[in-house]
């Protein structure tokens, strides 16, 4: 009891691999750190992890994070003197049908984009590396030589020793009972051994994280799931250097262990655990082996590894692990509580993530921001539906069951739907809407031609999918007549108060000090100049702004704005998303339609581009924003939800004579690619500055107004940029661009596509990506190269340009 310190700058809760890695990295950074484990290190879920370490993910920075884990594990034993069981024996992934082979080839291209070595092998070459397997059904395989495996408990103990060597204190058998919070500020951690004053808490408590964090108003969306793997007795003639093996078409994975095999998998009918709460004192505990549930996986495995039929079974390990609703882990500072950080929900790849996640969390704690963009794992990607455990469990069961199924492009989840619905949902459904889901919201992706017998259902493939022609039809309507798009799911905030302008002009990179009625498109930057938010601001009163951002960024953007309001300024931020519906009226006939339903002046002179005003439609006061994300004349119509049905009906009736159609989000995507509009989370984000993204025109550098990130942009203006976003087009209309394809300039890789799709006006595939050069990139450099794109390991010649492909002079938008 006397050994427990009275204070520490940072306290970590949880002694699994994530907690110990975070302690190791914080100590390396010189941050005073105490780690508290209620029982023994690794005794939660780490001790029963399978220990496979793969690196490739669909996101470059997550792949980089996993690559850091491998680098750390390569040197940790030498540093600490403790064995880790780390072997860089490589990893094999099999493909047993044509679609899976396309997926594997696309993964190989993604690996090349991210700087990883991945080789494509024939079935016979794969069998040479893994002689125990039957390859009769194998079309091909991918081999990543830098993947490997580790002993989870050993590697965690090595990280703990490294943490202690650098000054961290670790206390086992010390249960955290409470966190002392005053006025929203963390003051101390309370344990059964005493009180520790601290400034920051890092919660790495695995499957206990959700319930513990909820006590302090923090939402950590994860669910405990049963996960089984079998360990065999020694198998005759077992090679010692066997790579890890993933056989997704048979839902199974394998690794060699002490002359035998570990075999596990991801069944389609997983079993959630601890539905009514985790039992008290659950530690170093496994669940009862469920042979009946494991039998289907075993049958699949026997077809791949016949030797298993005669191998003795040493154990069938059944251990609960925490999984998330989207299969990505959870990391970052909680939006609900300052200085409360979370690292949890590692979806059975905590050992692979451990080194990198601990590094990223430590950097986040020290600097107040992650070392690079980790949006796909950021805790702020969640929202309102994730507070409900029943909804969360349904979605997480689906995500678990899809762990090894085909990763189809544009695939939608089916569980927990419908959840959040626009007032127009039933009407649009009856008219043929095929809905997608974002943050619980049902959104029309495309509309089936019901008269022609088309069914409003996605049919997935790696080619043009069944909605391709439907989207082309909607796209043509946007360009030639008009469409109405239900965008009620937009996140909407109100910033009010006498200091609203001062606060927003500090946070926003563009100038929002404009008259009432002005619209401003702006980014919000971090101190490195990276783009944290990308949104629209309408000044609706001297002391009030209406802010509109993307559906999926509701939690993130609200948190960013709220936390960056300078101290002492008098203004308040409100989330009013659910108050307003949004109907986007877009297309060259939009004004003609609007003129028939409102008495307001909507002429180009009376209602110019980049302005907003209240107009009346069907008895409703509509906040009309003249703005576009499709590159045509148009308005976003924001209105109280109770008027949505009446206004929609009025517009559709008035628009019938002008070719007005329903349209969905996939046609928006096609149009925005042609117009060169950037998408946050893919084309732009915290790792990209406006100058690199071609958005320097939206930054108020021609004023003397200070704003967050200005110093970084000033420096970059002086020094130049080392990457630049460019547009790439292909002549072959049958090629499908999805993003992550490798960009080659003069035969050398220089980057990868951040987004891809098809432009139906120009009739070509379109991609965007950053061209990188350590000596600098300008327009001359971009335009002087010869370019190719690698797509599923094949190279295709392409054209590059920096200007928009469609309406580069904004003549249609400002008509």
């Amino acid at each position: 009891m006397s050994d427990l310190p009275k204070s520490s700058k940072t306290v970590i809760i949880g002694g699994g691999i994530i907690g110990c890695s975070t302690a190791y990295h914080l100590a390396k950074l010189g941050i005073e750190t105490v780690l508290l484990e209620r029982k023994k290190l690794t005794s939660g879920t780490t001790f029963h992890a399978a220990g496979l370490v793969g690196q490739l993910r669909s996101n470059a920075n997550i792949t980089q994070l996993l690559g850091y884990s491998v680098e750390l594990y390569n040197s940790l034993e030498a540093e600490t003197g403790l064995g880790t069981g780390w072997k860089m024996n490589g990893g094999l992934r099999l493909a047993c049908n044509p679609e899976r082979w396309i997926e594997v080839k696309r993964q190989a291209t993604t690996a090349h984009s991210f700087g990883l070595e991945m080789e494509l092998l024939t079935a016979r070459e794969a069998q040479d590396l893994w002689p125990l397997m039957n390859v009769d059904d194998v079309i091909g395989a991918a081999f990543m030589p830098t993947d490997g495996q580790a002993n989870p408990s050993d590697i965690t103990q090595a990280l703990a020793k490294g943490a202690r060597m650098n000054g961290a204190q670790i206390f086992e058998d010390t249960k955290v009972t409470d966190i002392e919070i005053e006025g929203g500020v963390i003051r101390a951690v309370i344990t059964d051994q005493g009180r520790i004053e601290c400034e920051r808490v890092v919660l790495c408590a695995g499957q206990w994280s959700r319930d513990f964090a909820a006590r302090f108003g923090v939402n950590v969306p994860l669910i405990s799931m049963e996960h089984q793997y079998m360990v065999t007795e020694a198998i005759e003639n077992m090679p010692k250097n066997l790579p890890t093996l993933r056989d997704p078409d048979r839902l199974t994975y394998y690794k060699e262990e002490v002359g035998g095999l570990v075999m596990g998998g991801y069944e389609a009918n997983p079993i959630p655990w601890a539905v009514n709460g985790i039992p008290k004192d659950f530690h170093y505990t496994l669940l009862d082996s469920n042979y009946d549930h494991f039998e289907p996986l075993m049958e699949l495995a026997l077809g791949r590894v016949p030797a298993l039929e005669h191998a003795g079974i040493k154990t069938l390990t059944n251990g609960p692990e925490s999984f998330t609703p989207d299969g990505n882990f959870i990391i970052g500072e909680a939006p609900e509580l300052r200085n409360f950080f979370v690292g949890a929900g590692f979806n059975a790849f905590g050992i692979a993530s451990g080194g990198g996640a601990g590094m990223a969390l430590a950097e986040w704690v020290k600097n107040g921001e992650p070392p690079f963009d980790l949006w796909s794992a950021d805790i702020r990607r969640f929202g309102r539906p994730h507070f409900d455990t029943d909804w969360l469990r349904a979605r997480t069961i689906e995500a678990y069951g899809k762990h090894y199924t085909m990763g189809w492009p544009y695939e939608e989840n089916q569980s927990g739907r419908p959840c959040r619905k626009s007032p127009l949902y039933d009407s649009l459904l009856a008219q043929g809407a095929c809905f997608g889901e974002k943050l619980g919201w049902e959104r029309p992706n495309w509309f089936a031609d019901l008269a022609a017998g088309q069914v409003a259902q996605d049919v997935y493939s790696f080619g043009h999918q069944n909605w391709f022609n439907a989207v082309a039809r909607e796209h043509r309507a946007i360009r030639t007549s008009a469409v109405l798009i239900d965008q009620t799911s937009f996140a909407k905030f109100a910033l009010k108060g006498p200091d609203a302008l001062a606060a927003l002009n500090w946070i926003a990179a563009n100038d929002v000090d404009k008259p009432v009625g002005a619209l401003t498109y702006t980014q919000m930057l971090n101190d490195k100049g990276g783009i944290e938010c990308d949104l629209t601001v309408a000044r609706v009163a001297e002391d009030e702004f209406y802010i509109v951002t993307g559906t999926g960024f509701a939690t993130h953007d609200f948190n960013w704005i709220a936390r960056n309001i300078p101290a002492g300024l008098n203004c308040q931020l409100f989330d009013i998303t659910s108050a307003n519906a949004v109907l986007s009226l877009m297309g060259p006939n939009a004004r003609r339609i609007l003129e028939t339903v409102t008495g307001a002046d909507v002429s180009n002179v009376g209602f110019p581009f980049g302005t907003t005003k209240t107009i009346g439609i069907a008895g409703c006061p509509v906040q009309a924003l003249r703005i576009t994300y499709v590159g045509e004349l148009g308005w976003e119509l924001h209105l109280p939800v109770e008027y949505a049905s009446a206004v929609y009906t009025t517009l559709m009736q008035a628009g019938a004579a002008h070719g007005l159609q329903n349209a969905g989000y996939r046609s928006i995507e096609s149009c925005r690619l042609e117009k060169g509009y950037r998408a946050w989370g893919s084309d732009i984000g915290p790792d990209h500055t406006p100058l690199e993204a071609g958005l320097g025109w939206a930054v108020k550098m021609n004023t003397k107004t200070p704003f967050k990130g200005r110093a970084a942009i000033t420096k970059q203006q002086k020094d130049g940029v080392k990457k630049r976003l460019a547009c790439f087009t292909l002549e072959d209309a049958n090629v499908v661009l999805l993003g992550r394809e490798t960009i080659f300039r003069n035969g050398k890789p220089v980057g990868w596509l951040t987004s891809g799709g098809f432009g139906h006006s120009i009739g070509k595939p379109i991609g965007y990506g950053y061209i990188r050069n350590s000596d600098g990139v300008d327009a001359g450099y971009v335009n002087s190269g010869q370019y190719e794109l690698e797509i599923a390991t094949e190279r295709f010649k392409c054209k590059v340009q920096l200007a928009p492909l469609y309406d580069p002079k904004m003549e249609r938008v400002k008509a």
Side-chain angles (χ1 to χ4, degrees), residues 468-484:
F468 184 80
N469 290 332
V471 170
R473 168 173 39 84
E474 295 171 26
H475 181 118
R476 284 192 296 272
I478 291 171
R479 296 285 187 240
T480 62
S481 54
V483 300
L484 201 56

Side-chain angles (χ1 to χ4, degrees), residues 676-750:
Y677 293 142
R678 280 61 167 142
W680 196 89
S682 54
D683 304 320
I684 55 177
D687 291 344
H688 313 116
T689 72
L691 300 184
E692 295 164 344
L695 296 172
W697 57 269
V699 183
K700 53 180 176 248
M701 297 304 290
N702 59 346
T703 74
K704 295 183 179 179
T705 306
F707 62 90
K708 188 174 179 65
R710 178 166 190 142
I713 300 301
T714 300
K715 185 176 188 302
Q716 201 170 58
Q717 281 184 325
K718 177 183 176 183
D719 297 344
V721 300
K722 300 184 185 303
K723 63 183 178 186
R724 181 75 185 269
L725 188 69
C727 174
F728 301 87
T729 56
L730 295 167
E731 294 301 317
D732 188 344
N734 292 315
V735 173
V736 175
L737 296 178
L738 299 171
R740 301 183 300 279
E741 294 85 355
T742 315
I743 303 166
F744 285 84
R745 180 184 183 275
N746 298 341
K748 296 182 179 180
V750 293

Side-chain angles (χ1 to χ4, degrees), residues 113-348:
S113 291
F114 300 164
L116 291 174
E117 183 183 354
M118 184 181 254
E119 308 164 16
L120 293 182
L121 308 177
T122 65
R124 189 60 57 200
E125 289 169 333
Q127 191 178 43
D128 289 343
L129 288 175
W130 226 90
L132 276 69
M133 70 173 167
N134 170 28
V135 295
D136 289 349
D137 62 338
V138 175
I139 293 176
F143 179 61
M144 187 169 287
T146 55
D147 280 357
Q149 63 189 67
N151 182 301
S153 293
D154 288 350
I155 214 160
T156 303
Q157 293 292 349
L159 286 165
K161 182 176 180 181
R164 292 188 188 99
M165 288 166 59
N166 287 281
Q169 298 182 76
I170 296 176
F171 296 89
E172 298 181 298
D173 300 309
T174 304
K175 183 179 180 180
V176 175
T177 59
D178 204 358
I179 298 176
E180 190 178 300
I181 301 170
E182 292 181 4
V185 177
I186 293 172
R187 297 298 186 191
V189 165
I190 310 301
T191 80
D192 58 1
Q193 303 294 318
R195 177 181 183 272
I196 307 176
E197 288 187 11
C198 63
E199 298 174 1
R200 294 163 299 212
V201 169
V202 186
L203 180 64
C204 301
Q207 61 186 347
W208 290 267
S209 297
R210 179 168 176 79
D211 288 345
F212 183 82
R215 293 168 51 191
F216 312 103
V218 172
N219 186 36
V220 182
L222 55 80
I223 293 292
S224 295
M225 304 288 291
E226 294 188 16
H227 183 73
Q228 295 193 108
Y229 63 82
M230 178 184 71
V231 182
T232 75
E233 302 285 358
I235 295 175
E236 189 176 355
N237 300 320
M238 171 69 71
K240 294 296 184 185
N241 60 343
L242 209 62
T244 61
L245 176 66
R246 292 169 177 83
D247 186 4
D249 291 311
R250 291 176 180 264
L251 307 178
T252 49
Y253 61 79
Y254 308 81
K255 75 165 186 174
E256 182 274 333
E257 185 167 288
V258 198
L261 277 180
V262 170
M263 185 280 286
Y266 293 87
E267 64 276 24
N269 57 336
I271 302 173
W273 181 71
V275 173
N276 297 315
I278 299 172
K280 187 178 180 182
D281 293 328
F282 186 88
H283 71 288
Y284 276 141
T285 307
L286 295 171
L287 310 180
D288 291 339
S289 300
N290 190 335
Y291 285 91
D292 289 342
H293 195 72
F294 194 73
E295 185 178 1
L297 287 180
M298 187 66 199
E299 290 177 356
L300 290 167
L302 286 171
R304 179 67 61 223
V305 188
L308 288 174
E309 187 172 355
H310 305 291
I313 299 177
K314 189 183 294 184
T315 59
L316 179 59
T317 298
N318 186 1
E321 298 200 34
S322 56
F323 285 78
T324 65
D326 61 6
N328 291 322
F329 56 85
I330 302 170
I331 192 171
E333 186 177 8
E336 303 93 343
L337 179 60
R338 283 182 182 268
N339 292 321
F340 187 94
F341 296 83
V342 176
F346 280 84
N347 303 280

Side-chain angles (χ1 to χ4, degrees), residues 443-495:
R443 313 193 310 173
N445 276 340
W446 59 280
F447 284 79
D449 185 349
L450 298 181
Q454 188 174 21
V455 178
Q457 182 176 347
D458 290 330
V459 178
Y460 299 120
S461 74
F462 283 101
H464 291 315
Q465 297 188 4
N466 68 312
W467 43 262
F468 184 80
N469 290 332
V471 170
R473 168 173 39 84
E474 295 171 26
H475 181 118
R476 284 192 296 272
I478 291 171
R479 296 285 187 240
T480 62
S481 54
V483 300
L484 201 56
I485 309 170
D486 183 0
Q487 296 194 271
T488 298
S489 66
F490 271 147
K492 313 159 199 94
F493 314 137
L495 183 67

